[in-house]
Amino acid sequence: MLRRAATAAAVLAPLITFALTPATASATSPYKGANTAAVQDDFNGDGYRDLAVGAPYAANGSVEEAGAVVVLYGSASSVSTTHRTVITQATSGIPGDPEEWDAFGTTVASADLDRDGYADLIIGTPREQVGDKESRGSATVVWGGPSGLTGGATISPPAGYGDGRTYCGFGNSVATGDMNGDGAPEVTIGSRCEGASYTGPFTRTGQAASNYRESRLGGTRGVVMGDVNGDGRAERYWLVGPADDDLRGPVYVDNGPPTDDYPANWPIELPHADGHAGQIGDVNGDGYGDLVTGIADDDSLMNATGAAHRGGEIQVLYGSAQGITVDQQPQVFHQDTAGVPGTAEDGDQFGQSLSVGDVNADGYADVLVGSPGEAVGTLELAGTAVLLRGSASGLTTTKAVGYTQNTADVPGAAEVGDSFGASVHLADLNKDGKAETVVGVPTENSDGCLWTALGSASGPVLSGSINLCGKTAGITVRNTKGYFGAALPSPHVSN
């Protein structure tokens, strides 16, 4: 049973950075805002965010499920499959070797780890075997530069990580944020065993300035980083996953590394909060980051009582000058909430993925929620994605809208098992100030696809929206579906 730490009286919490106004950039002069929210994913320094897409079951030659990551480079016309880089463990300069069932690309994230002005790509491979330890897991950084992504290094677990444990799944989640205000982002990697915390900057060998294990909480499968109290420094939340005494998943605020005084710096629990994955954005436009978490697994999927609301749910905790205090009650949304599209049903997995971003440039971050288990009519597991709007009063169901592949002007058609919404992402890829809506459909056809729609003053533009699919993007598929679109930079629950 998970040990539950004592609750403190007040606490600060995680993750938003504030966008700087874009400046002119060139291929030889990196865009200096590479650690800001607007261009955090700018791998080639041209001022446009790029899109990393995991295809963890892609084949590598004859090697099944070795995995791949495709980076689609942003531009004034958004992303396409023509301007891309495909990265595997067989790519020159990338550590490791493609092996069966590694699932390279299960998670993706980015930040400018070496402070050269170009964002770097971080790839989690939680199923990778290390030595004789199955699913020990690994994390790889691929370095950004004027030509895009080239070369890489391994981010190794801290000394003593996972001692005596198996199937840890290092790389199960990845988060980045500048916690000490020095301009060098920190990296946190979650797993089923324990979390790993790295202080930047990193060298090109993958070595951080310092690191430590977060072994006090047992597993730390999810992690969120960002600024919720407006001091310009990211806080960190640990989402430990379902616990024996809390299937909905406890949420803890990091309070510093372990010390010789064992109780000192113990992570502080937010007793009313739950979540298995999360992200931070300014939903109510007050200048403070707000924490949005997802709990997708309901009683029907957990085979127990006390899990998420039927069909899954999301929660919102609002930041302030005091951060997120321990007495705050979360705002909860599910498909039985008035105004939320759809109907809550067993196994819908509402909250399996989520993303926070401003689709219409009104100054309020919106929340896109994936529900890959949702049936569309009689089509089981076809999936849906629901957009909830931010406002001065917080997240609201006003103008909420749901999307499926049977929605008018959404390309394709809903089919059994497509899992539309297994991943979702909101990001401004064409630098017009409005986030594109990106939805992963990893079991579409044999390779998997992404649906992308441009943002506008009225929200996502469905007319002219497109599907981008894995084979066209350069992945290889053999006997197993490639799962292109299974991972995007925004969080999804990864078991």
Side-chain angles (χ1 to χ4, degrees):
M1 179 176 292
L2 175 71
R3 177 175 178 177
R4 308 293 292 273
T7 300
V11 66
L12 309 178
L15 142 193
I16 201 171
T17 48
F18 295 96
L20 301 178
T21 302
T24 302
S26 71
T28 57
S29 177
Y31 188 82
K32 296 302 183 182
N35 277 327
T36 70
V39 288
Q40 177 174 306
D41 307 323
D42 183 9
F43 301 119
N44 59 359
D46 64 357
Y48 292 96
R49 291 185 76 160
D50 307 312
L51 181 64
V53 185
Y57 296 164
N60 194 293
S62 62
V63 182
E64 290 278 13
E65 298 185 34
V69 174
V70 179
V71 173
L72 307 174
Y73 290 101
S75 70
S77 57
S78 193
V79 294
S80 72
T81 57
T82 57
H83 188 198
R84 68 175 192 255
T85 295
V86 180
I87 300 166
T88 74
Q89 287 181 300
T91 300
S92 177
I94 304 303
D97 297 296
E99 299 167 316
E100 282 191 326
W101 311 303
D102 272 356
F104 179 82
T106 296
T107 54
V108 291
S110 76
D112 181 8
L113 300 187
D114 58 354
R115 291 195 295 188
D116 67 349
Y118 300 94
D120 307 306
L121 174 64
I122 307 164
I123 301 170
T125 311
R127 283 170 49 178
E128 180 150 38
Q129 180 168 324
V130 179
D132 61 353
K133 296 181 179 179
E134 292 188 37
S135 294
R136 170 78 167 183
S138 68
T140 303
V141 56
V142 187
W143 304 109
S147 301
L149 292 156
T150 56
T154 297
I155 301 177
S156 299
Y161 167 85
D163 281 352
R165 303 184 66 179
T166 57
Y167 300 98
C168 283
F170 183 75
N172 198 65
S173 60
V174 181
T176 65
D178 183 4
M179 297 183 69
N180 57 12
D182 66 352
E186 277 63 62
V187 174
T188 305
I189 299 175
S191 78
R192 289 183 291 272
C193 287
E194 54 198 20
S197 171
Y198 301 84
T199 300
F202 285 71
T203 68
R204 281 291 178 114
T205 64
Q207 296 296 311
S210 63
N211 62 59
Y212 72 86
R213 295 181 296 134
E214 182 46 81
S215 57
R216 295 167 290 187
L217 299 175
T220 50
R221 289 163 59 180
V223 63
V224 188
M225 295 174 69
D227 180 11
V228 298
N229 64 354
D231 67 354
R233 301 181 182 187
E235 288 76 49
R236 174 166 47 212
Y237 292 103
W238 300 105
L239 310 178
V240 304
D244 292 345
D245 55 350
D246 187 352
L247 295 177
R248 300 162 68 84
V251 177
Y252 291 86
V253 181
D254 187 271
N255 199 31
T259 69
D260 292 337
D261 181 6
Y262 190 68
N265 292 355
W266 192 277
I268 300 168
E269 184 178 5
L270 300 182
H272 306 297
D274 308 287
H276 298 165
Q279 194 172 45
I280 295 173
D282 188 1
V283 172
N284 59 2
D286 63 355
Y288 302 103
D290 308 311
L291 173 63
V292 184
T293 62
I295 312 103
D297 290 347
D298 58 16
D299 289 357
S300 72
L301 296 176
M302 296 294 289
N303 294 315
T305 58
H309 184 278
R310 186 182 186 191
E313 66 184 76
I314 67 166
Q315 299 185 359
V316 187
L317 289 162
Y318 294 95
S320 69
Q322 294 75 43
I324 295 173
T325 58
V326 296
D327 58 351
Q328 187 177 154
Q329 295 281 346
Q331 188 180 16
V332 179
F333 295 86
H334 43 70
Q335 288 182 299
D336 281 336
T337 300
V340 174
T343 302
E345 300 165 312
D346 287 350
D348 281 347
Q349 293 186 292
F350 182 84
Q352 165 69 20
S353 60
L354 61 89
S355 187
V356 185
D358 188 354
V359 300
N360 58 357
D362 65 353
Y364 304 105
D366 309 301
V367 178
L368 184 64
V369 185
S371 183
E374 177 89 4
V376 177
T378 60
L379 304 172
E380 297 291 332
L381 304 175
T384 186
V386 171
L387 182 66
L388 303 175
R389 299 302 184 93
S391 73
S393 58
L395 197 62
T396 175
T397 61
T398 301
K399 297 183 179 180
V401 61
Y403 307 101
T404 75
Q405 288 187 295
N406 281 354
T407 300
D409 290 324
V410 173
E415 300 168 304
V416 172
D418 275 350
S419 297
F420 182 89
S423 64
V424 296
H425 190 48
L426 297 174
D428 180 12
L429 304 170
N430 62 356
K431 209 164 62 173
D432 68 352
K434 307 171 190 70
E436 278 96 313
T437 295
V438 183
V439 177
V441 199
T443 44
E444 173 88 10
N445 304 324
S446 65
D447 48 351
C449 299
L450 291 178
W451 172 58
T452 65
L454 297 176
S456 75
S458 58
V461 180
L462 303 194
S463 178
S465 63
I466 60 173
N467 271 352
L468 305 173
C469 297
K471 289 181 180 178
T472 305
I475 72 165
T476 301
V477 177
R478 295 189 73 247
N479 299 317
T480 305
K481 291 191 176 193
Y483 274 64
F484 178 80
L488 294 168
S490 294
H492 64 282
V493 177
S494 178
N495 295 322

